[in-house]
Amino acid sequence: MEENYPEIKEIRITDHTKIRNFVAFGLKCLTETPRATIMLHTLPHFSGKDDSLPEEPPVKKDKLASSTANIARLVSIAEIIKREFASLVSANKGIPHNPPGTLLHQYNIIDILLEAPTKETKRVDVLQALEGKSHLRRNNTPYMKIYLSTCVRDDLVTTGATYQPAPPPPKKSRSARARAKKRLEREKAAQEVQDVEQTV
């Protein structure tokens, strides 16, 4: 029996938007919807869901396409979202759909955008073939997709995504543990004083 999952929210990572905006929007999507899944990707906005590149944008020589150049930024944003989400869940800060202990499951896809042949590229291919060249050049662009989900998504694995287990919950630092201990001692002392006043 096939499971019904909520619609996947797509977030295209670019180099002209601040990282904190991506993180804030990703956290909003994950915390406001039960069993939510977001997809962070570096695909061009005109590439479509079939991962074909009908028109290769002009790229300067020796310069990476944005789909490739933004992969490092994509990974950084995904790691920040995972860390912030784990902190929110452990602190139980207003996340009704994600009880304490909920972690993010990550699924990764690395692929290439296939260059669609045009009349010009076909003409060049024929000319090169007539010249005896058997290895024709193709401008295929690597890209990456990262799915972050609050539930296990076996359907993504069947499409070729690799699964990355959810990270363990963040541990409190020594100073945070000390502050929590002092807070409990103060609350306990205040409760004892209140009990004494009520008995008098």
Side-chain angles (χ1 to χ4, degrees):
M1 184 178 176
E2 234 179 86
E3 287 194 62
N4 293 323
Y5 297 102
E7 182 181 357
I8 296 175
K9 187 68 179 179
E10 297 185 13
I11 303 174
R12 178 172 170 260
I13 304 303
T14 61
D15 55 3
H16 57 266
T17 304
K18 293 182 178 180
I19 287 180
R20 67 169 177 265
N21 294 340
F22 286 123
V23 173
F25 185 68
L27 288 173
K28 180 182 178 182
C29 295
L30 290 168
T31 55
E32 292 185 352
T33 307
R35 307 177 74 213
T37 302
I38 62 172
M39 181 185 77
L40 309 168
H41 67 87
T42 60
L43 289 165
H45 64 89
F46 52 80
S47 66
K49 294 186 178 180
D50 57 353
D51 296 348
S52 62
L53 189 59
E55 297 178 8
E56 180 69 22
V59 179
K60 292 182 180 179
K61 190 175 180 181
D62 298 331
K63 183 178 179 181
L64 291 174
S66 60
S67 301
T68 306
N70 288 327
I71 288 179
R73 187 178 177 90
L74 164 71
V75 173
S76 298
I77 291 170
E79 292 300 320
I80 294 172
I81 290 176
K82 287 195 297 183
R83 185 177 68 239
E84 293 297 321
F85 182 86
S87 299
L88 288 173
V89 170
S90 63
N92 198 19
K93 292 184 177 178
I95 310 183
H97 304 299
N98 301 288
T102 304
L103 298 174
L104 288 180
H105 303 272
Q106 180 173 335
Y107 300 85
N108 306 318
I109 293 179
I110 300 176
D111 209 338
I112 59 173
L113 290 169
L114 302 177
E115 179 186 28
T118 62
K119 288 183 179 180
E120 179 61 24
T121 57
K122 288 179 180 178
R123 187 183 69 82
V124 172
D125 290 347
V126 171
L127 291 175
Q128 290 181 342
L130 292 174
E131 292 175 4
K133 296 180 180 180
S134 56
H135 301 288
L136 305 180
R137 181 172 179 175
R138 287 287 180 270
N139 294 323
N140 296 329
T141 308
Y143 71 91
M144 187 174 186
K145 295 179 182 178
I146 295 180
Y147 295 85
L148 297 177
S149 178
T150 56
C151 61
V152 177
R153 295 288 301 259
D154 294 329
D155 59 319
L156 295 177
V157 177
T158 58
T159 61
T162 57
Y163 175 65
Q164 185 170 325
K171 293 182 178 179
K172 288 186 178 180
S173 63
R174 183 179 297 178
S175 59
R177 291 197 301 269
R179 288 195 300 270
K181 185 179 179 181
K182 288 181 180 178
R183 185 171 62 251
L184 288 174
E185 290 175 351
R186 287 196 301 269
E187 291 175 356
K188 185 179 178 181
Q191 184 64 39
E192 289 176 354
V193 171
Q194 187 177 358
D195 292 342
V196 170
E197 289 176 349
Q198 288 177 354
T199 56
V200 173

